[in-house]
Amino acid sequence: MTEQTATLPAAAHTGGDIANTRKVFIKTYGCQMNVYDSVRMGDALASEGYVTTDAMEEADLVLLNTCHIREKAAEKVYSALGRLREMKKERRANGGELMIGVAGCVAQAEGEEILRRAPAVDVVIGPQTYHRLPQALRRARSGERVIETDYAVEDKFEHLPKTDKAQIRARGVTAFLTVQEGCDKFCTFCVVPYTRGSEISRPLSQIIDEAQRLVDAGVREITLLGQNVNAWHGAGPNGESWGLGDLLYRLAEIRGLARLRYTTSHPRDMDDRLIEAHRDLRALMPYLHLPVQAGSDRILKAMNRRHTGEEYLRLIERIRSARPDIALSGDFIVGFPGETDADFEDTLRLVETVRYAQAFSFKYSTRPGTPGADLGSQVADAVKAERLERLQALLLRQQHEFAEACIGRTIDILLEKPGRMPGQLIGRSPWLQSVNVDAASSQIGDIISVRIVGTGPNSLFAERIER
């Protein structure tokens, strides 16, 4: 999944007046699933009298929801903990208190190490146990340093409180919804199977219930999340076996749900029914994030991807045949151990063939505990940097070409939030681009027709078309 850093937006507390209400600041590192998890941790903490804040300085609890995909992501967390240690010391000197928690994948992988390196931390809690966060905090307030990283036997989603309508509305007209967690693919570069566990699918009834509550509160677009989201499977209404395609058909029946997306997919789980959903469902947006990681069959085998470059390209052809206007996004790793100049050229050729609307690319970094960390023939950092620069230049050119091709087109956009300029809103195109257009704030949540008139570095500009 794509990497990002975010803070959980502050939302009004709606559970009634609670004496001595505490405030929590949640900093999110990593993928969209961590963003979803941060929101649900905020929901769980609401039962303890916490309200979210976007000002760390006024928080009684600072929670870092962490990512372990790349080395720098983990080190960012330890750097942040060093600053929080000083903040905690200063707070105590002034007669106050500050609790510090670490959640997410770094917590899962390095629980004891976090407590050793960062004595100021009160709670360490993994991604499968964050429904236990309220109890963990109660234990920590009594003086215990708590680690909760055992894989939970119970279904954490069943134990999380249901988000009320006011909280959902405060978060906007788009929402994430986790339907699948974990990974059984064991790519040799990846820590996810060790931090998130094996593939688990949420039951259909849970997903439909949460989606319905989101739509009832005004959400217009839902993005389904999973480490391998298209590995989702479950029992249908009559006990038959369903996959992600069947789930999308069912969600598209929810009245008021205008748009559906999903991420992140694995090429091996892209089945016929899912491709048919792209063909048939107007609500399913024509945008697909389908990582390939490399173009060389030799490197793909070393990565344990279990598909070839040619198989990936044939899959893209099938998808585009079903949905000609679909835009593709991907992930790439350069400098995997043993990658030669010829292997890298294979990656460039694959990118030229596919023509991505957007993509994410990274230098390979060893992650302790993964098979890739023990491979020989590590690529020199200077070589990785040069290859990454070449790849990113190609991907950026393709992204700009895709954006330029949108000029003059008439499309529908979902208005999401205020823009930088007065009287301007930011909407989202079917292909996930930000679109700037003049519109009133009362129209947030509307889907309007616009004509694209220009491009910026990371967005499009449009004029309204009255229909």
Side-chain angles (χ1 to χ4, degrees):
M1 302 187 74
T2 57
E3 186 180 8
Q4 60 191 59
T5 305
T7 55
L8 183 65
H13 179 69
T14 57
D17 293 331
I18 297 179
N20 302 316
T21 295
R22 303 183 180 98
K23 294 183 179 180
V24 56
F25 176 89
I26 304 178
K27 178 80 169 179
T28 307
Y29 301 84
C31 64
Q32 296 96 328
M33 285 190 70
N34 268 15
V35 175
Y36 174 87
D37 288 348
S38 291
V39 169
R40 299 314 310 271
M41 281 189 276
D43 293 342
L45 289 170
S47 63
E48 293 293 291
Y50 282 95
V51 295
T52 56
T53 176
D54 55 11
M56 182 187 295
E57 297 75 17
E58 66 181 30
D60 304 285
L61 166 65
V62 174
L63 193 60
L64 305 182
N65 191 12
T66 61
C67 171
H68 206 249
I69 293 295
R70 273 166 282 281
E71 184 177 8
K72 287 184 179 179
E75 288 306 314
K76 283 180 184 177
V77 173
Y78 285 111
S79 177
L81 289 174
R83 294 190 295 271
L84 286 172
R85 177 191 61 204
E86 297 304 313
M87 184 174 164
K88 186 170 190 172
K89 189 185 301 182
E90 182 180 342
R91 186 77 63 86
R92 283 181 171 173
N94 293 320
E97 286 293 332
L98 174 66
M99 297 191 73
I100 301 172
V102 181
C105 293
V106 173
Q108 186 69 42
E110 304 184 20
E112 292 287 352
E113 179 71 1
I114 290 170
L115 293 188
R116 185 188 70 80
R117 288 182 59 176
V121 172
D122 300 289
V123 173
V124 176
I125 196 153
Q128 304 305 331
T129 49
Y130 64 74
H131 58 294
R132 300 175 184 168
L133 185 56
Q135 299 92 318
L137 287 171
R138 286 196 289 270
R139 289 161 58 194
R141 280 196 290 272
S142 68
E144 181 182 353
R145 298 184 77 201
V146 180
I147 298 181
E148 281 277 9
T149 55
D150 292 336
Y151 286 104
V153 176
E154 71 271 24
D155 178 0
K156 71 180 178 187
F157 296 102
E158 284 285 359
H159 289 76
L160 289 170
K162 294 186 186 300
T163 313
D164 64 40
K165 286 187 177 182
Q167 289 173 308
I168 295 171
R169 287 194 190 103
R171 293 166 187 161
V173 296
T174 65
F176 292 134
L177 198 170
T178 291
V179 301
Q180 182 273 341
E181 289 192 296
C183 183
D184 294 342
K185 302 300 188 289
F186 288 93
C187 297
T188 55
F189 55 81
C190 187
V191 297
V192 166
Y194 312 102
T195 57
R196 287 276 185 172
S198 59
E199 291 178 357
I200 298 174
S201 296
R202 288 182 71 184
L204 175 66
S205 58
Q206 272 191 18
I207 296 167
I208 299 303
D209 177 65
E210 185 168 342
Q212 187 67 63
R213 284 188 289 108
L214 290 170
V215 173
D216 288 345
V219 167
R220 305 297 313 280
E221 175 180 296
I222 292 176
T223 300
L224 307 182
L225 299 179
Q227 265 83 35
N228 286 308
V229 67
N230 55 342
W232 181 88
H233 62 278
N238 298 318
E240 67 274 33
S241 179
W242 274 22
L244 183 64
D246 301 293
L247 175 61
L248 288 165
Y249 278 98
R250 172 62 183 87
L251 288 168
E253 296 174 1
I254 296 178
R255 189 174 181 85
L257 178 56
R259 291 182 163 192
L260 282 165
R261 303 183 189 271
Y262 62 91
T263 194
T264 290
S265 304
H266 194 289
R268 287 173 48 216
D269 293 319
M270 202 76 198
D271 61 20
D272 292 343
R273 182 65 166 165
L274 186 51
I275 295 174
E276 290 168 1
H278 279 282
R279 181 194 66 198
D280 297 340
L281 298 178
R282 185 166 181 247
L284 182 55
M285 292 294 96
Y287 179 88
L288 176 62
H289 185 65
L290 191 64
V292 63
Q293 306 298 354
S296 161
D297 289 350
R298 195 176 68 84
I299 295 301
L300 288 169
K301 184 175 182 180
M303 288 177 167
N304 196 36
R305 292 290 290 175
R306 287 184 273 183
H307 63 77
T308 66
E310 182 59 33
E311 287 168 342
Y312 179 84
L313 291 174
R314 287 202 301 269
L315 176 60
I316 295 299
E317 288 179 2
R318 291 175 56 213
I319 295 166
R320 281 183 164 151
S321 177
R323 188 71 187 259
D325 65 336
I326 201 162
L328 273 298
S329 171
D331 289 344
F332 293 90
I333 295 172
V334 302
F336 188 80
E339 184 186 69
T340 65
D341 288 341
D343 293 323
F344 178 65
E345 291 296 330
D346 286 342
T347 296
L348 294 180
R349 276 191 289 272
L350 183 142
V351 171
E352 288 280 17
T353 301
V354 174
R355 305 199 65 79
Y356 290 91
Q358 186 181 26
F360 305 90
S361 52
F362 310 92
K363 291 187 290 186
Y364 171 74
S365 62
T366 57
R367 306 311 296 131
T370 63
D374 299 325
L375 294 176
S377 304
Q378 296 288 330
V379 178
D381 282 342
V383 175
K384 291 185 202 176
E386 188 271 336
R387 289 177 184 169
L388 182 64
E389 185 176 353
R390 288 180 61 195
L391 175 61
Q392 288 183 337
L394 173 58
L395 291 169
L396 187 61
R397 174 169 62 81
Q398 291 187 353
Q399 180 178 328
H400 287 163
E401 288 172 352
F402 183 84
E404 290 286 341
C406 292
I407 294 177
R409 297 184 67 174
T410 298
I411 65 172
D412 289 341
I413 65 170
L414 170 62
L415 297 174
E416 292 186 8
K417 58 186 178 182
R420 291 185 178 181
M421 304 297 292
Q424 186 183 77
L425 294 183
I426 296 176
R428 191 72 64 178
S429 82
W431 307 290
L432 208 59
Q433 302 143 303
S434 291
V435 181
N436 302 280
V437 65
D438 290 340
S441 59
S442 60
Q443 293 180 277
I444 290 176
D446 290 352
I447 294 176
I448 65 169
S449 293
V450 300
R451 180 181 295 107
I452 304 301
V453 296
T455 68
N458 298 297
S459 62
L460 303 176
F461 295 90
E463 60 184 14
R464 293 194 58 177
I465 293 176
E466 299 298 335
R467 284 187 173 176

